[in-house]
Amino acid sequence: MANGVASFQVPMLNTSNYDNWSIKMKALLGAHEVWDIVEKGYVEPQDEATLSQTQKDNLKDSRKRDKKALYLIYQALDDDGFEKISSATTAKDAWEKLQTSHKGAEQVKKVRLQTLRGEFEALHMKESESISDYFSRVLAVSNQMKRNGEKLSDVRIMEKILRSLSPKFEHIVVIIEETKNLEEMTIDQLLGSLQAYEEKHKKKQDSVEQLFKMQVKDKEESMSNERGQHGRGHFQGRDGRGRGRGHARGGFNNNEDRREYPTSGRGRSNRRTRYEKSQTKCYNCQKFGHYAFECRAPKNKVE
């Protein structure tokens, strides 16, 4: 678009972002080289005929730049915002109307500052919050306080941060307070030191958690192995008892063994007994095939 107006994104103003919006708009207007006309304005002569050609050229340029600035301000407003400045004839007038509308009178400004002071003092770092995010929260409130007239030094901001950190930073806070001079530090330097400590603390926590997980895993595997061994031992015990019963009945473990070497009267040992008796001579009747205590013949008196 002509004059480079569309080469920048114009920030939109709403009911709650005037402070930040005004900073962004000042930068945008400055980039288009028209902030000075918004801040200081220009004077419309009562009679242009009395002006020299140089003065006429300067007046023409001022009017052109003023309209450019006014157009940029228009682009940042919704319909309600436009209504507030629709009667403004210059960019300076429009800017002042917006400032009065959003920042209010001096009394309203003081009330707002009191609210911001309370928010600043109540700030505390959350346990799950990163040090970078907490710095951003603190600086957002402190910057609003400054824009509303509070004289807030960097040392006071750093002191607030140090005394409101979460307990995990206690060690580094003690070191900084004892070894560093906050008067010689910047907020960025403090942030860097705390971020470095946060990273070390995080790595240490990760190592501890990893070790704990490994210990839990080892314990679970050990318990699983013990349960497996207990199950196998129970099975072996039952099998062992089975073998014990087999031994008691004849020293064999299965039916095939018992068929080959039965323990009943029909077995091999009984045949062996009958064979041995056939070669045995009775001392009572002098016949073979039985012992004397089995003999049915009349008992002979042994000489």
Side-chain angles (χ1 to χ4, degrees), residues 130-140 161 187 190-191 194:
S130 70
I131 192 65
S132 178
D133 289 344
Y134 183 56
F135 261 71
S136 296
R137 283 207 297 133
V138 173
L139 292 178
I161 290 172
I187 292 178
L190 178 61
L191 173 61
L194 294 175

Side-chain angles (χ1 to χ4, degrees), residues 28-41:
L28 177 63
L29 294 168
H32 285 280
E33 299 180 348
V34 293
W35 169 244
D36 62 318
I37 205 74
V38 176
E39 184 179 28
K40 300 176 182 177

Side-chain angles (χ1 to χ4, degrees), residues 8-250:
F8 294 88
Q9 183 178 357
V10 179
M12 293 299 298
L13 176 63
N14 58 46
T15 57
S16 60
N17 72 339
Y18 175 79
D19 289 332
N20 289 337
W21 174 85
S22 62
I23 294 173
K24 294 176 182 178
M25 279 301 295
K26 287 177 184 178
L28 177 63
L29 294 168
H32 285 280
E33 299 180 348
V34 293
W35 169 244
D36 62 318
I37 205 74
V38 176
E39 184 179 28
K40 300 176 182 177
Y42 74 99
V43 178
E44 280 284 350
Q46 294 181 351
D47 185 6
E48 292 187 37
T50 62
L51 299 178
S52 65
Q53 187 59 43
T54 301
Q55 290 174 325
K56 290 180 180 179
D57 291 340
N58 290 337
L59 178 60
K60 182 179 179 180
D61 180 66
S62 295
R63 287 172 175 171
K64 182 178 180 180
R65 294 172 63 237
D66 184 74
K67 295 304 180 185
K68 181 179 180 180
L70 189 59
Y71 176 76
L72 287 170
I73 294 173
Y74 286 161
Q75 296 300 304
L77 306 176
D78 57 16
D79 291 341
D80 291 337
F82 177 76
E83 290 298 329
K84 294 176 182 178
I85 65 167
S86 59
S87 61
T89 57
T90 66
K92 183 176 186 295
D93 187 22
W95 186 267
E96 290 175 348
K97 286 179 180 295
L98 287 173
Q99 187 176 47
T100 302
S101 173
H102 285 271
K103 302 206 69 170
E106 190 65 26
Q107 186 62 34
V108 175
K109 186 176 180 180
K110 290 181 180 179
V111 172
R112 178 170 174 75
L113 184 56
Q114 285 294 99
T115 302
L116 290 170
R117 286 170 179 165
E119 291 180 12
F120 182 79
E121 292 303 322
L123 285 170
H124 278 85
M125 185 178 182
K126 300 174 183 177
E127 196 63 35
S128 59
E129 192 173 22
S130 70
I131 192 65
S132 178
D133 289 344
Y134 183 56
F135 261 71
S136 296
R137 283 207 297 133
V138 173
L139 292 178
V141 176
S142 61
N143 287 338
Q144 290 185 57
M145 292 171 66
K146 290 178 180 179
R147 289 193 289 268
N148 281 274
E150 181 76 357
K151 294 181 179 179
L152 193 61
S153 67
D154 287 352
V155 173
R156 183 180 167 190
I157 295 172
M158 289 189 287
E159 288 175 343
K160 167 60 185 178
I161 290 172
L162 289 175
R163 68 173 181 266
S164 60
L165 294 176
S166 62
K168 65 183 179 182
F169 289 93
E170 182 177 359
H171 181 68
I172 187 65
V173 168
V174 172
I175 293 176
I176 291 174
E177 290 178 339
E178 291 183 351
T179 63
K180 303 290 184 180
N181 183 358
L182 295 182
E183 296 284 351
E184 299 175 356
M185 287 187 73
T186 65
I187 292 178
D188 288 339
Q189 288 174 336
L190 178 61
L191 173 61
S193 297
L194 294 175
Q195 282 180 321
Y197 179 83
E198 181 181 50
E199 186 65 25
K200 291 180 181 178
H201 185 271
K202 185 177 183 299
K203 289 182 178 179
K204 183 177 179 181
Q205 287 295 106
D206 291 343
S207 298
V208 172
E209 290 178 5
Q210 187 66 24
L211 178 61
F212 176 74
K213 289 179 180 178
M214 291 176 63
Q215 290 175 341
V216 171
K217 182 178 179 182
D218 291 343
K219 185 175 181 179
E220 289 176 348
E221 290 179 351
S222 177
M223 293 176 65
S224 177
N225 291 335
E226 288 178 2
R227 287 194 295 268
Q229 292 173 1
H230 176 70
R232 290 194 296 273
H234 181 63
F235 177 79
Q236 291 170 357
R238 292 174 58 188
D239 190 50
R241 289 195 294 272
R243 288 197 298 271
R245 289 193 294 270
H247 285 300
R249 293 173 182 172

Side-chain angles (χ1 to χ4, degrees), residues 258-279:
R258 285 195 286 272
R259 286 195 299 269
E260 184 178 355
Y261 303 105
T263 59
S264 65
R266 299 176 182 178
R268 179 181 298 180
S269 61
N270 204 38
R271 292 197 298 271
R272 185 168 59 249
T273 301
R274 290 198 299 271
Y275 173 78
E276 291 174 353
K277 284 185 178 183
S278 67
Q279 304 299 319

